[in-house]
Amino acid sequence: MIGAKRIVMLWIVWGIAWLGAATIQRSIWKPGETFSEYLQRRGVPLQVLRSISPEDSKYLYEIQGGEPFFELIDDNGTLLQSLIPLGEEMQIALSRQWGSGAYRFDIVPIVHKEVHDTVALSVRSSCYRDIDRVTNNPRLGFILKTLYKRRVDFRKLRKGDRIVFAYRQKSRLGEPWGQPVFQGAVIRTRGKDHFIFVDRDGNSWLKPYKEVKTVHTGTKTVYETVTRKIRTLRNRKGYIRPIPGARITSPFSYKRWHPILHRYRPHLGIDFGARRGTPIHAVNRGRVIYAGWMRGYGKVVKIDHGDGYVSLYAHQSRIRVHRGQYVSRGQIIGYVGSTGRSTGPHLHFGLYRRGRAINPLHVIGKGGSRYVVTEVTERKKRIKKFAKTEIKKVPIPGAEKLKKRMETLLHSSSVKGYRWREIADRLIYVDQITKHKEASNETGYDDYGQTDR
Ligand SMILES: [Zn+2]
């Protein structure tokens, strides 16, 4: 850790050039003691009180009795510095000035140092006690136990079991501060390795990745059949109209001006105007004798109704029957289109008797009794909402690297713990704390620092 090295060097420079020998003392603020009583007790001239602004002087009442604070005292017993917390974020810094010996009063932020540490240990007595012994941080064991909940029973760990874990811990003046944050751990017990990896939300996973459920929502087009009943008329011979209700756009004629050919031509059928896709019904029951392409007529169906009658349905967009099929009266045989020679979607309907085209209206045009056609096949688009669940593997940042490092530490035997108090001495001077703040910023989240032991 670059940061730590820089702090040690600063300490050496500061220690030699400025102070000579001095010791850090951690004390508890006596309940009820006032700031001026403290100054008197430490032999600090009371004139420092006059330098405190009225705005700042109210903070003197905020010193918490029973809370720890830090003092730097030289060999002659002179107070060089005092750091007294005011709540969790700020502290009073009382510093003796070099040369004049006067004291300076400041209110400065409490700087948190963050340590990234990987610890490996063998269970000797209880794993909580062992973790505390090695880290001086009793909370670690209990948090680790929660992370292993229902995976490893900490009461069943045995002497010689190996525990490796990586965590971050903030420290304030050399003491653990706030909750430690685990990155991962491995416990080897009864010949099995139990890994856990912790994501940024504090959830533990057995693999270096987490399985995230994602729900995709959207809409899709579905097709469904719609049943519709259409009323029409059936004449005495049993014939109905191919498209109930459709308008006749061009009548039967032996001599008609052809709009495409620009010539007189016979029109041996009736044109019904209808939109593309409109179902075409068999005008009577019969047998399909033709279903396919006919030049000029496009897609065509011809039905033999017996008794010498044959019907023809031309320009279809899609044919729904095949040759040889028997169809019932009103059955859908295809859909209106514009195939072949056609100026637009319509049905050309022809009726033949003994091979000769006749005016269909002579057969289907005559009224008759009411008849109901059931239309069953119309497919309709519908938008349907859907939700699909997908499980995705999301790597936990740094977890693969951590796994390798923990695996190595699982086997190495000479790993000692890290003691918070050892660094406490290096963190006390205000200027240094400021410097340290810069240094600690260099340590990013994914950098699992490993302390030299
Ligand atoms: Zn026609």
Side-chain angles (χ1 to χ4, degrees):
M1 290 167 92
I2 304 158
K5 273 179 200 157
R6 217 154 101 184
I7 295 305
V8 177
M9 271 183 52
L10 277 162
W11 163 252
I12 293 164
V13 172
W14 178 55
I16 294 168
W18 213 69
L19 272 179
T23 50
I24 303 290
Q25 205 171 297
R26 180 184 182 272
S27 311
I28 301 294
W29 192 271
K30 284 180 193 162
E33 191 178 48
T34 65
F35 188 63
S36 50
E37 280 166 3
Y38 167 72
L39 296 179
Q40 279 173 295
R41 182 161 62 82
R42 275 283 172 225
V44 176
L46 288 176
Q47 68 211 47
V48 69
L49 290 173
R50 262 175 270 145
S51 72
I52 303 172
S53 70
E55 178 60 28
D56 280 353
S57 61
K58 64 172 186 266
Y59 293 113
L60 300 179
Y61 305 103
E62 299 295 334
I63 299 169
Q64 293 290 300
E67 288 293 310
F69 71 106
F70 292 83
E71 293 172 301
L72 185 67
I73 293 159
D74 75 4
D75 282 355
N76 309 319
T78 309
L79 179 74
L80 298 176
Q81 194 189 47
S82 189
L83 293 175
I84 307 150
L86 298 168
E88 292 184 357
E89 297 292 334
M90 302 296 285
Q91 62 190 347
I92 291 170
L94 183 71
S95 326
R96 190 173 191 267
Q97 302 299 292
W98 174 242
S100 70
Y103 284 83
R104 217 183 102 157
F105 178 93
D106 277 313
I107 292 175
V108 297
I110 294 171
V111 175
H112 306 144
K113 180 188 191 294
E114 193 172 64
V115 171
H116 294 234
D117 204 8
T118 311
V119 170
L121 58 91
S122 296
V123 175
R124 279 197 218 157
S125 51
S126 103
C127 66
Y128 303 108
R129 231 172 294 153
D130 291 321
I131 291 169
D132 186 21
R133 169 176 54 81
V134 170
T135 62
N136 260 10
N137 195 343
R139 263 175 293 188
L140 290 175
F142 292 98
I143 293 170
L144 197 60
K145 181 197 166 193
T146 351
L147 292 172
Y148 269 107
K149 205 174 178 181
R150 288 194 291 272
R151 287 163 185 165
V152 172
D153 189 347
F154 272 36
R155 288 167 305 180
K156 288 183 181 163
L157 291 181
R158 294 186 294 195
K159 208 171 167 183
D161 284 347
R162 294 284 290 166
I163 302 176
V164 181
F165 55 90
Y167 70 103
R168 290 180 285 137
Q169 173 69 66
K170 278 184 182 159
S171 67
R172 185 179 71 175
L173 299 172
E175 293 189 326
W177 174 247
Q179 287 286 312
V181 178
F182 277 87
Q183 278 95 45
V186 55
I187 294 177
R188 172 169 285 180
T189 179
R190 288 157 216 263
K192 270 185 88 177
D193 293 345
H194 304 270
F195 281 93
I196 53 161
F197 300 91
V198 184
D199 65 19
R200 282 169 201 224
D201 301 323
N203 302 314
S204 55
W205 304 83
L206 299 176
K207 296 271 159 63
Y209 52 81
K210 50 182 170 180
E211 286 177 339
V212 181
K213 253 191 206 174
T214 43
V215 180
H216 301 274
T217 54
T219 54
K220 62 178 175 186
T221 311
V222 291
Y223 293 89
E224 56 181 15
T225 51
V226 172
T227 307
R228 195 159 68 111
K229 289 201 189 297
I230 305 165
R231 270 204 231 138
T232 184
L233 292 173
R234 193 184 77 163
N235 67 11
R236 273 161 302 174
K237 283 188 169 162
Y239 283 82
I240 61 164
R241 292 216 173 188
I243 303 173
R247 193 167 57 93
I248 293 166
T249 52
S250 188
F252 181 90
S253 161
Y254 289 110
K255 188 187 175 194
R256 178 187 77 155
W257 177 252
H258 197 284
I260 293 176
L261 299 175
H262 295 286
R263 265 165 226 195
Y264 281 99
R265 282 289 180 276
H267 186 232
L268 302 175
I270 302 171
D271 288 350
F272 289 99
R275 279 190 297 183
R276 177 186 298 277
T278 306
I280 302 162
H281 303 264
V283 290
N284 209 341
R285 66 193 164 92
R287 193 168 68 93
V288 177
I289 54 167
Y290 189 88
W293 191 269
M294 275 173 120
R295 214 171 153 231
Y297 276 155
K299 289 182 182 173
V300 167
V301 171
K302 275 168 95 173
I303 300 168
D304 184 353
H305 302 288
D307 227 5
Y309 286 97
V310 167
S311 60
L312 177 145
Y313 315 77
H315 309 305
Q316 298 186 35
S317 60
R318 188 155 68 93
I319 294 171
R320 275 203 55 200
V321 289
H322 55 86
R323 200 174 153 223
Q325 185 180 340
Y326 285 89
V327 292
S328 57
R329 183 193 298 128
Q331 184 175 336
I332 293 167
I333 51 103
Y335 299 93
V336 170
S338 190
T339 52
R341 269 187 185 276
S342 166
T343 47
H346 73 281
L347 169 68
H348 172 90
F349 176 72
L351 196 63
Y352 300 83
R353 187 158 190 236
R354 290 188 198 108
R356 281 182 59 207
I358 56 166
N359 188 346
L361 287 181
H362 294 154
V363 178
I364 64 165
K366 306 254 169 71
S369 55
R370 286 176 168 205
Y371 188 73
V372 174
V373 179
T374 310
E375 215 178 79
V376 240
T377 46
E378 195 182 0
R379 294 180 106 187
K380 204 179 173 187
K381 270 183 200 173
R382 225 182 80 193
I383 304 296
K384 204 178 169 186
K385 277 183 188 166
F386 71 92
K388 207 176 97 191
T389 315
E390 195 187 41
I391 292 167
K392 221 172 145 188
K393 286 178 186 175
V394 178
I396 299 166
E400 278 294 350
K401 256 167 79 184
L402 175 67
K403 190 183 181 192
K404 282 191 188 118
R405 196 168 72 243
M406 291 198 303
E407 269 168 344
T408 318
L409 286 169
L410 209 51
H411 304 291
S412 67
S413 51
S414 59
V415 186
K416 268 196 301 169
Y418 175 88
R419 291 198 174 269
W420 289 95
R421 288 299 158 78
E422 287 169 15
I423 60 155
D425 301 350
R426 300 177 191 138
L427 291 171
I428 192 125
Y429 191 62
V430 174
D431 287 352
Q432 266 185 274
I433 289 166
T434 319
K435 283 277 193 285
H436 182 79
K437 195 179 184 182
E438 292 163 16
S440 67
N441 287 344
E442 291 165 12
T443 322
Y445 176 87
D446 291 323
D447 174 24
Y448 300 93
Q450 210 178 315
T451 319
D452 289 335
R453 292 154 225 269

